[in-house]
Amino acid sequence: MSRSVAILIPPRAELSSVALATDLLQLANRYSCKRTGELRERPTRQAKAPLRTRWLSLDGAPVRLASGAALNVDGAIGNTSSASYDAVLVAAFETRGARDWINTLGMLSPVVDWLRLQAKRETWIAACGGSIGLLADAGLLDGKPACVPWWLEAAFHRRYPAAALQRSTALTHAPGVLCAGPMSAWPALALRLLREITSPNTADWVEKTTLIDATAPASPEALQLHGLVETASLDPLVARAQYWLQQRYSEPVRLDELAASLAVSARTLLRRFRQSTGLAPQAYLQRLRMESARRMLDRTTLPVEQIGRQVGYDDPAFFARLFKRESGMTPSGWRSRAS
């Protein structure tokens, strides 16, 4: 029996979220054709394939991807409202901060009714990255587990309190709904979706062939920075500053250097950062370092001095004093507290 999958490609889509899913579906077709003696040299997305894939956009026009390239599609959601699918995957779109994410969701509002219609037909619905917000807008995540990229967690929780947000999680699964937050989990999402609409043998073969881990462990970024997600900012300038600090927290950082990288004055950056997070940039940086140090103390056997160096403190005594002030105990005490 043939199965149909629609991949909805929004403007500024991340091509990897489209290509990964399409490639896995084609691998599944190759396996099915091989088992039935119909192996083709070039599996296609045509109607006779065991898994039929359609790329859709809002209006049927080529989609401008995040990379700037244009991608042709097979149709528009408006022209396929009567079409039923076994699965729908909403590809991830580029997001430039929480405010930009919210604005983009507003521009994609026509998708919401279409997703509701598909869900009523018992179609599996999956989404990657920021597109998970469209599932929440459609009410498909009310009372269900959901995950998003770690830096969107605070904004997602404020916007969708009815969703059961799973922090520090890369992939969530509920009846009829799949979510994958970070890019590292998108292959696992596609494989899990494939497992829902095809045979276990087919899914097992694709997993074995690609070596994709369908369990999608927690996002490393979220594990490292989980304690600071609540301070993720809706101010795009501050969100960029936070990202800059998160990428360089183990390096020496000066406020004027950070401000210059954002093309603003140090005074403007300090004012807006404090207004948005309640912290000065240096205090935020210190919390990043302490949270990372606590994680390493919990999860590794690295010497305390080495952990201090890895989070940006070359002086072991200074690191130990600062850690005790921030955590209420010495690094060694923190590590041994549960033993």
Side-chain angles (χ1 to χ4, degrees):
M1 181 178 64
S2 180
R3 299 275 186 167
S4 60
V5 180
I7 300 180
L8 175 58
I9 308 173
R12 288 166 40 201
E14 301 281 3
L15 179 59
S16 58
S17 63
V18 179
L20 281 166
T22 303
D23 286 347
L24 290 181
L25 290 167
Q26 297 315 312
L27 278 174
N29 278 337
R30 179 182 291 274
Y31 175 80
S32 298
C33 291
K34 182 178 180 180
R35 284 178 59 85
T36 58
E38 299 176 1
L39 179 62
R40 302 177 178 88
E41 290 185 3
R42 295 182 179 178
T44 67
R45 294 188 284 118
Q46 303 305 314
K48 292 184 179 180
L51 288 169
R52 294 179 289 111
T53 308
R54 285 179 59 82
W55 288 354
L56 304 179
S57 67
L58 273 69
D59 56 6
V63 178
R64 186 67 61 182
L65 301 174
S67 65
L71 185 67
N72 292 326
V73 298
D74 300 313
I77 60 172
N79 297 332
T80 58
S81 59
S82 60
S84 295
Y85 298 96
D86 294 285
V88 168
L89 171 64
V90 187
F93 57 82
E94 180 187 34
T95 303
R96 302 162 185 164
R99 192 177 301 278
D100 175 68
W101 172 65
I102 292 172
N103 291 338
T104 303
L105 291 176
M107 291 187 290
L108 295 174
S109 58
V111 173
V112 174
D113 288 338
W114 183 77
L115 289 174
R116 290 193 186 109
L117 177 63
Q118 295 301 322
K120 287 179 181 178
R121 295 170 175 170
E122 298 185 350
T123 298
W124 273 91
I125 311 289
C128 303
S131 291
I132 294 167
L134 294 169
L135 274 60
D137 281 334
L140 304 183
L141 297 178
D142 290 356
K144 295 181 180 180
C147 63
V148 291
W150 64 266
W151 50 272
L152 280 178
E153 286 183 350
F156 185 92
H157 181 64
R158 287 192 293 268
R159 184 176 171 89
Y160 306 112
L165 178 63
Q166 307 294 299
R167 298 184 185 275
S168 302
T169 300
L171 180 69
T172 57
H173 180 283
V177 182
L178 289 164
C179 301
M183 185 180 290
S184 60
W186 298 351
L189 173 78
L191 188 59
R192 290 289 292 272
L193 187 62
L194 181 64
R195 192 170 289 280
E196 296 296 340
I197 62 173
T198 191
S199 71
N201 285 342
T202 300
D204 289 344
W205 183 84
V206 173
E207 184 172 356
K208 180 179 179 180
T209 301
T210 60
L211 298 180
I212 292 173
D213 180 5
T215 60
S219 161
E221 301 97 328
L223 289 175
Q224 186 179 61
L225 304 172
H226 174 63
L228 293 168
V229 166
E230 291 293 347
T231 64
S233 175
L234 289 175
D235 183 328
L237 172 67
V238 178
R240 286 163 54 207
Q242 288 176 307
Y243 181 78
W244 193 94
L245 290 168
Q246 289 155 8
Q247 298 303 304
R248 298 168 176 82
Y249 71 91
S250 63
E251 305 170 8
V253 172
R254 299 202 326 263
L255 181 61
D256 57 350
E257 179 187 9
L258 171 57
S261 73
L262 301 171
V264 297
S265 69
R267 183 175 181 179
T268 296
L269 175 61
L270 181 60
R271 173 177 54 81
R272 288 174 60 174
F273 204 101
R274 280 178 169 163
Q275 286 176 345
S276 183
T277 69
L279 297 169
Q282 288 292 345
Y284 180 83
L285 174 65
Q286 183 172 292
R287 289 182 61 181
L288 280 174
R289 290 173 169 175
M290 291 298 105
E291 181 66 20
S292 182
R294 284 190 286 267
R295 295 286 176 181
M296 283 191 275
L297 288 166
D298 286 339
R299 300 170 187 273
T300 76
T301 58
L302 292 174
V304 170
E305 293 80 3
Q306 185 175 343
I307 290 175
R309 287 194 297 271
Q310 289 195 12
V311 299
Y313 299 105
D314 291 330
D315 184 340
F318 179 75
F319 168 64
R321 288 197 303 271
L322 189 59
F323 188 95
K324 184 175 182 179
R325 189 180 74 189
E326 294 293 321
S327 306
M329 61 184 71
T330 65
S332 298
W334 180 275
R335 172 171 275 168
S336 62
R337 72 192 188 286
S339 59

